[in-house]
Amino acid sequence: MTSTESSNLPRKSETHFYSDGDVELVAEKITFRVHRNILELSSQFFKEMFMSAKPSAEDLVVISSTGKTIPRIDLRDDSAQDFEKLLSFLYPNTFYEIGWDNVSSLLRLADKYIVESLTSACVAFLKRSYQEEPLQALKLAEFYHISSVYKESSKLVLDNFEQLFYEPKNLQGLSRTTQKKLKLQRQQYVEGLNKLYCVTVDRRFPPLTAEHLRSNFEECVKDICTFPFQPPSYAWMKLHQVDCSKHFECREELRRLKPFINEKISTFFGGEYEPLACSRNPSSASTPENFYPFIELRDD
Protein backbone atom coordinates (compact mmCIF):
# COMPACT_ATOMS: atom_id res chain seq x y z
CA MET A 1 0.00 0.00 0.00
CA THR A 2 1.41 3.37 -1.01
CA SER A 3 1.59 6.34 1.38
CA THR A 4 -1.08 8.10 -0.69
CA GLU A 5 -3.50 5.15 -0.39
CA SER A 6 -2.79 4.92 3.33
CA SER A 7 -3.56 8.59 3.89
CA ASN A 8 -6.95 8.18 2.18
CA LEU A 9 -8.11 5.47 4.57
CA PRO A 10 -10.30 6.49 7.53
CA ARG A 11 -8.48 6.85 10.84
CA LYS A 12 -9.86 5.71 14.17
CA SER A 13 -11.21 8.31 16.54
CA GLU A 14 -9.01 8.68 19.58
CA THR A 15 -12.04 9.32 21.82
CA HIS A 16 -14.96 7.32 20.47
CA PHE A 17 -13.78 4.06 18.95
CA TYR A 18 -15.14 1.22 21.07
CA SER A 19 -14.12 -2.38 20.43
CA ASP A 20 -17.64 -3.60 21.23
CA GLY A 21 -19.33 -0.95 19.08
CA ASP A 22 -21.88 -2.18 16.54
CA VAL A 23 -21.99 0.73 14.08
CA GLU A 24 -19.34 2.92 12.49
CA LEU A 25 -19.82 6.58 11.57
CA VAL A 26 -17.27 8.31 9.34
CA ALA A 27 -16.78 12.08 9.20
CA GLU A 28 -13.82 13.66 7.40
CA LYS A 29 -11.96 10.33 7.25
CA ILE A 30 -12.32 9.84 11.01
CA THR A 31 -14.11 6.64 12.05
CA PHE A 32 -16.24 6.55 15.18
CA ARG A 33 -17.17 3.02 16.24
CA VAL A 34 -20.06 3.48 18.63
CA HIS A 35 -23.10 1.73 20.05
CA ARG A 36 -26.38 1.71 18.19
CA ASN A 37 -28.47 1.64 21.36
CA ILE A 38 -26.91 4.87 22.66
CA LEU A 39 -27.63 6.61 19.36
CA GLU A 40 -31.20 5.30 19.28
CA LEU A 41 -31.94 6.35 22.86
CA SER A 42 -30.49 9.82 22.35
CA SER A 43 -31.44 10.75 18.80
CA GLN A 44 -34.79 10.48 17.06
CA PHE A 45 -32.95 10.86 13.77
CA PHE A 46 -30.80 7.76 14.28
CA LYS A 47 -33.67 5.81 15.81
CA GLU A 48 -35.80 6.28 12.70
CA MET A 49 -32.85 5.65 10.39
CA PHE A 50 -31.96 2.33 12.03
CA MET A 51 -35.62 1.26 11.98
CA SER A 52 -36.21 1.99 8.31
CA ALA A 53 -32.89 1.76 6.49
CA LYS A 54 -31.20 -1.50 5.55
CA PRO A 55 -27.49 -1.22 4.74
CA SER A 56 -26.27 -2.51 1.39
CA ALA A 57 -23.22 -4.73 1.03
CA GLU A 58 -21.13 -1.63 0.30
CA ASP A 59 -22.19 -0.10 3.61
CA LEU A 60 -21.01 -3.05 5.70
CA VAL A 61 -17.59 -3.49 7.22
CA VAL A 62 -16.07 -6.61 8.76
CA ILE A 63 -14.31 -6.35 12.12
CA SER A 64 -11.09 -8.25 11.63
CA SER A 65 -10.69 -9.35 15.25
CA THR A 66 -14.14 -10.97 15.52
CA GLY A 67 -15.30 -11.45 11.92
CA LYS A 68 -18.51 -9.60 12.85
CA THR A 69 -20.16 -7.45 10.17
CA ILE A 70 -21.44 -4.00 11.19
CA PRO A 71 -22.86 -1.09 9.17
CA ARG A 72 -20.75 1.95 8.28
CA ILE A 73 -22.43 5.32 7.72
CA ASP A 74 -20.75 8.23 5.95
CA LEU A 75 -21.56 11.63 7.53
CA ARG A 76 -20.77 13.89 4.62
CA ASP A 77 -22.09 17.18 5.98
CA ASP A 78 -20.49 17.18 9.43
CA SER A 79 -16.94 17.81 10.52
CA ALA A 80 -15.24 15.16 12.62
CA GLN A 81 -14.61 17.72 15.34
CA ASP A 82 -18.29 18.67 15.58
CA PHE A 83 -19.52 15.08 15.60
CA GLU A 84 -17.03 14.20 18.30
CA LYS A 85 -18.58 16.98 20.42
CA LEU A 86 -21.99 15.38 19.99
CA LEU A 87 -20.74 11.93 20.97
CA SER A 88 -18.86 13.33 23.97
CA PHE A 89 -22.12 14.83 25.19
CA LEU A 90 -24.04 11.57 24.67
CA TYR A 91 -21.57 9.11 26.16
CA PRO A 92 -21.48 8.78 29.96
CA ASN A 93 -17.73 8.10 30.02
CA THR A 94 -16.87 11.49 28.52
CA PHE A 95 -17.71 15.03 29.57
CA TYR A 96 -18.14 17.99 27.27
CA GLU A 97 -18.80 21.44 28.67
CA ILE A 98 -21.01 23.80 26.70
CA GLY A 99 -19.53 27.25 26.16
CA TRP A 100 -19.69 30.18 23.75
CA ASP A 101 -17.08 28.56 21.52
CA ASN A 102 -19.26 25.50 20.84
CA VAL A 103 -22.91 26.26 21.65
CA SER A 104 -23.68 27.27 18.06
CA SER A 105 -22.35 24.03 16.54
CA LEU A 106 -23.96 21.95 19.30
CA LEU A 107 -27.35 23.54 18.68
CA ARG A 108 -26.98 22.79 14.98
CA LEU A 109 -26.17 19.14 15.66
CA ALA A 110 -28.96 18.84 18.23
CA ASP A 111 -31.41 20.26 15.71
CA LYS A 112 -30.18 18.11 12.82
CA TYR A 113 -30.09 14.81 14.72
CA ILE A 114 -33.08 15.63 16.97
CA VAL A 115 -31.21 15.22 20.25
CA GLU A 116 -33.60 16.78 22.76
CA SER A 117 -31.27 16.40 25.74
CA LEU A 118 -28.55 18.40 23.96
CA THR A 119 -31.04 21.06 22.87
CA SER A 120 -32.20 21.43 26.48
CA ALA A 121 -28.61 21.69 27.72
CA CYS A 122 -27.78 24.40 25.15
CA VAL A 123 -30.93 26.35 26.01
CA ALA A 124 -30.07 26.11 29.72
CA PHE A 125 -26.58 27.46 28.96
CA LEU A 126 -28.00 30.41 27.01
CA LYS A 127 -30.50 31.22 29.76
CA ARG A 128 -27.79 31.47 32.40
CA SER A 129 -25.09 33.03 30.18
CA TYR A 130 -26.90 35.39 27.78
CA GLN A 131 -25.64 38.42 29.71
CA GLU A 132 -22.07 37.60 28.63
CA GLU A 133 -22.83 37.63 24.88
CA PRO A 134 -26.30 39.15 24.39
CA LEU A 135 -26.01 39.71 20.64
CA GLN A 136 -24.83 36.16 19.96
CA ALA A 137 -27.56 34.84 22.26
CA LEU A 138 -30.16 36.86 20.36
CA LYS A 139 -29.02 35.45 17.01
CA LEU A 140 -29.11 31.85 18.24
CA ALA A 141 -32.43 32.37 20.00
CA GLU A 142 -34.00 33.70 16.83
CA PHE A 143 -32.64 30.95 14.57
CA TYR A 144 -33.65 28.13 16.91
CA HIS A 145 -36.87 29.78 18.15
CA ILE A 146 -35.89 30.06 21.83
CA SER A 147 -38.38 32.74 22.85
CA SER A 148 -37.24 33.21 26.46
CA VAL A 149 -33.60 33.81 25.49
CA TYR A 150 -34.66 36.04 22.59
CA LYS A 151 -36.62 38.30 24.93
CA GLU A 152 -33.96 38.54 27.64
CA SER A 153 -31.01 39.07 25.31
CA SER A 154 -32.93 41.76 23.40
CA LYS A 155 -33.03 43.81 26.62
CA LEU A 156 -29.25 44.05 26.73
CA VAL A 157 -28.91 44.60 22.98
CA LEU A 158 -31.32 47.52 23.22
CA ASP A 159 -29.48 48.83 26.26
CA ASN A 160 -26.19 48.82 24.33
CA PHE A 161 -27.73 49.79 21.00
CA GLU A 162 -25.16 52.41 20.05
CA GLN A 163 -22.18 50.11 20.67
CA LEU A 164 -23.66 47.02 19.02
CA PHE A 165 -25.94 48.13 16.23
CA TYR A 166 -23.80 50.46 14.14
CA GLU A 167 -21.04 47.94 13.43
CA PRO A 168 -22.14 46.13 10.22
CA LYS A 169 -20.47 42.84 11.12
CA ASN A 170 -22.54 42.67 14.31
CA LEU A 171 -25.72 42.40 12.25
CA GLN A 172 -24.63 39.27 10.37
CA GLY A 173 -26.91 36.40 11.32
CA LEU A 174 -29.66 38.71 12.57
CA SER A 175 -32.82 38.76 10.44
CA ARG A 176 -34.20 41.96 8.95
CA THR A 177 -37.33 41.43 11.04
CA THR A 178 -35.40 41.49 14.31
CA GLN A 179 -33.27 44.41 13.13
CA LYS A 180 -36.45 46.34 12.37
CA LYS A 181 -37.94 45.54 15.79
CA LEU A 182 -34.80 46.75 17.54
CA LYS A 183 -34.68 49.97 15.50
CA LEU A 184 -38.34 50.74 16.18
CA GLN A 185 -37.96 50.15 19.91
CA ARG A 186 -34.86 52.33 20.00
CA GLN A 187 -36.58 55.06 18.01
CA GLN A 188 -39.53 55.03 20.40
CA TYR A 189 -37.17 55.40 23.35
CA VAL A 190 -35.33 58.38 21.80
CA GLU A 191 -38.62 60.07 20.92
CA GLY A 192 -39.74 59.48 24.51
CA LEU A 193 -36.65 61.26 25.82
CA ASN A 194 -37.48 64.26 23.68
CA LYS A 195 -41.01 64.36 25.12
CA LEU A 196 -39.75 63.83 28.65
CA TYR A 197 -37.48 66.84 28.31
CA CYS A 198 -40.57 69.08 28.15
CA VAL A 199 -42.25 67.62 31.26
CA THR A 200 -42.46 69.39 34.60
CA VAL A 201 -43.81 68.09 37.90
CA ASP A 202 -47.51 68.82 37.76
CA ARG A 203 -49.86 70.38 40.32
CA ARG A 204 -50.94 67.16 41.94
CA PHE A 205 -48.16 67.79 44.49
CA PRO A 206 -48.20 70.56 47.17
CA PRO A 207 -46.21 73.69 46.19
CA LEU A 208 -43.26 73.15 48.54
CA THR A 209 -43.05 69.47 47.71
CA ALA A 210 -43.36 70.20 44.02
CA GLU A 211 -40.45 72.61 44.19
CA HIS A 212 -38.13 69.93 45.56
CA LEU A 213 -39.51 67.35 43.16
CA ARG A 214 -39.22 69.69 40.21
CA SER A 215 -35.60 70.47 40.97
CA ASN A 216 -34.63 66.80 41.34
CA PHE A 217 -36.77 65.70 38.41
CA GLU A 218 -35.37 68.31 36.04
CA GLU A 219 -31.82 67.46 37.07
CA CYS A 220 -32.50 63.80 36.34
CA VAL A 221 -34.10 64.57 32.97
CA LYS A 222 -31.16 66.74 31.95
CA ASP A 223 -28.82 63.87 32.78
CA ILE A 224 -30.61 61.22 30.71
CA CYS A 225 -31.65 63.46 27.81
CA THR A 226 -28.25 64.98 27.04
CA PHE A 227 -26.69 63.55 23.89
CA PRO A 228 -25.25 60.93 23.66
CA PHE A 229 -28.37 59.49 25.24
CA GLN A 230 -28.10 57.22 28.26
CA PRO A 231 -29.26 53.57 27.99
CA PRO A 232 -32.91 52.81 28.82
CA SER A 233 -32.00 50.93 32.01
CA TYR A 234 -30.03 53.92 33.28
CA ALA A 235 -32.92 56.27 32.47
CA TRP A 236 -35.32 54.01 34.39
CA MET A 237 -33.01 53.86 37.40
CA LYS A 238 -32.41 57.62 37.51
CA LEU A 239 -36.09 58.47 37.18
CA HIS A 240 -36.96 56.14 40.05
CA GLN A 241 -34.26 57.67 42.21
CA VAL A 242 -36.06 61.03 42.17
CA ASP A 243 -37.08 61.14 45.81
CA CYS A 244 -37.79 63.88 48.33
CA SER A 245 -38.83 61.63 51.18
CA LYS A 246 -35.97 62.95 53.33
CA HIS A 247 -37.70 66.32 53.31
CA PHE A 248 -41.28 65.14 53.56
CA GLU A 249 -41.38 61.72 55.14
CA CYS A 250 -45.01 61.95 56.23
CA ARG A 251 -46.64 63.53 53.22
CA GLU A 252 -49.22 61.31 51.58
CA GLU A 253 -48.65 63.06 48.26
CA LEU A 254 -45.17 61.63 47.95
CA ARG A 255 -46.71 58.22 47.42
CA ARG A 256 -47.92 59.54 44.11
CA LEU A 257 -44.42 60.16 42.86
CA LYS A 258 -43.72 56.62 41.62
CA PRO A 259 -47.05 56.30 39.74
CA PHE A 260 -46.37 59.74 38.24
CA ILE A 261 -42.97 58.63 36.92
CA ASN A 262 -44.28 55.24 35.74
CA GLU A 263 -47.06 57.03 33.89
CA LYS A 264 -44.57 59.25 32.07
CA ILE A 265 -42.31 56.31 31.16
CA SER A 266 -45.24 54.27 29.83
CA THR A 267 -46.73 57.22 27.94
CA PHE A 268 -43.52 58.48 26.36
CA PHE A 269 -41.35 55.38 25.95
CA GLY A 270 -44.12 52.92 25.11
CA GLY A 271 -43.97 49.16 25.48
CA GLU A 272 -43.08 47.32 28.67
CA TYR A 273 -40.05 47.48 30.92
CA GLU A 274 -38.81 44.52 32.96
CA PRO A 275 -35.77 43.57 35.03
CA LEU A 276 -33.43 40.95 33.62
CA ALA A 277 -34.29 37.33 34.26
CA CYS A 278 -31.63 35.62 36.39
CA SER A 279 -30.10 38.98 37.18
CA ARG A 280 -26.65 38.77 38.71
CA ASN A 281 -27.21 42.01 40.57
CA PRO A 282 -30.53 41.65 42.37
CA SER A 283 -32.00 44.84 43.74
CA SER A 284 -31.72 45.82 47.34
CA ALA A 285 -33.71 48.25 49.43
CA SER A 286 -31.24 51.04 48.70
CA THR A 287 -30.49 50.27 45.03
CA PRO A 288 -33.43 49.85 42.66
CA GLU A 289 -32.97 47.20 40.00
CA ASN A 290 -32.67 48.37 36.41
CA PHE A 291 -35.61 47.78 34.10
CA TYR A 292 -35.25 47.27 30.34
CA PRO A 293 -37.40 47.49 27.20
CA PHE A 294 -37.51 44.33 25.09
CA ILE A 295 -38.79 42.75 21.90
CA GLU A 296 -40.38 39.34 21.59
CA LEU A 297 -40.09 36.43 19.17
CA ARG A 298 -43.32 36.70 17.22
CA ASP A 299 -44.28 36.43 13.56
CA ASP A 300 -45.92 39.87 13.45
Side-chain angles (χ1 to χ4, degrees), residues 219-272:
E219 182 181 345
C220 169
V221 168
K222 183 179 180 180
D223 178 20
I224 64 178
C225 293
T226 301
F227 190 83
F229 299 128
Q230 297 288 356
S233 66
Y234 179 84
W236 174 281
M237 178 189 69
K238 292 295 290 186
L239 284 167
H240 284 80
Q241 285 180 344
V242 177
D243 187 7
C244 293
S245 57
K246 293 181 180 179
H247 300 282
F248 301 95
E249 295 181 359
C250 300
R251 288 199 181 270
E252 177 68 25
E253 290 82 357
L254 288 174
R255 297 185 182 181
R256 303 176 189 171
L257 176 60
K258 188 173 182 179
F260 168 76
I261 291 175
N262 285 338
E263 174 192 328
K264 298 306 176 187
I265 291 176
S266 299
T267 302
F268 295 155
F269 295 163
E272 298 179 76

Side-chain angles (χ1 to χ4, degrees), residues 168-186:
K169 67 179 182 180
N170 288 341
L171 304 183
Q172 296 174 5
L174 206 59
S175 75
R176 292 186 180 273
T177 299
T178 292
Q179 291 182 42
K180 183 178 179 180
K181 288 180 181 179
L182 291 168
K183 288 179 180 178
L184 287 174
Q185 186 69 18
R186 174 66 179 184

Side-chain angles (χ1 to χ4, degrees), residues 50-100:
F50 290 140
M51 288 178 60
S52 59
K54 293 184 178 180
S56 64
E58 295 178 354
D59 297 326
L60 296 174
V61 60
V62 179
I63 301 176
S64 57
S65 58
T66 63
K68 183 179 178 180
T69 301
I70 63 174
R72 173 179 285 176
I73 302 168
D74 188 13
L75 305 173
R76 297 180 181 178
D77 298 327
D78 295 311
S79 70
Q81 184 180 24
D82 281 350
F83 200 75
E84 183 176 295
K85 296 175 186 177
L86 175 62
L87 292 174
S88 293
F89 178 84
L90 298 181
Y91 267 80
N93 64 309
T94 52
F95 173 76
Y96 199 84
E97 185 174 3
I98 298 175
W100 287 111

Side-chain angles (χ1 to χ4, degrees), residues 2 22 53 95 108 120 129 158-159 164 223 252 272 294:
T2 67
D22 52 5
F95 173 76
R108 183 188 67 81
S120 298
S129 306
L158 282 165
D159 218 47
L164 296 175
D223 178 20
E252 177 68 25
E272 298 179 76
F294 56 87

Side-chain angles (χ1 to χ4, degrees), residues 3-31:
S3 59
T4 302
E5 291 174 333
S6 177
S7 64
N8 288 330
L9 291 176
R11 295 182 289 108
K12 297 179 181 179
S13 166
E14 296 179 1
T15 308
H16 298 288
F17 193 91
Y18 304 98
S19 59
D20 60 343
D22 52 5
V23 61
E24 287 188 358
L25 306 171
V26 181
E28 294 185 322
K29 300 180 182 179
I30 301 296
T31 300

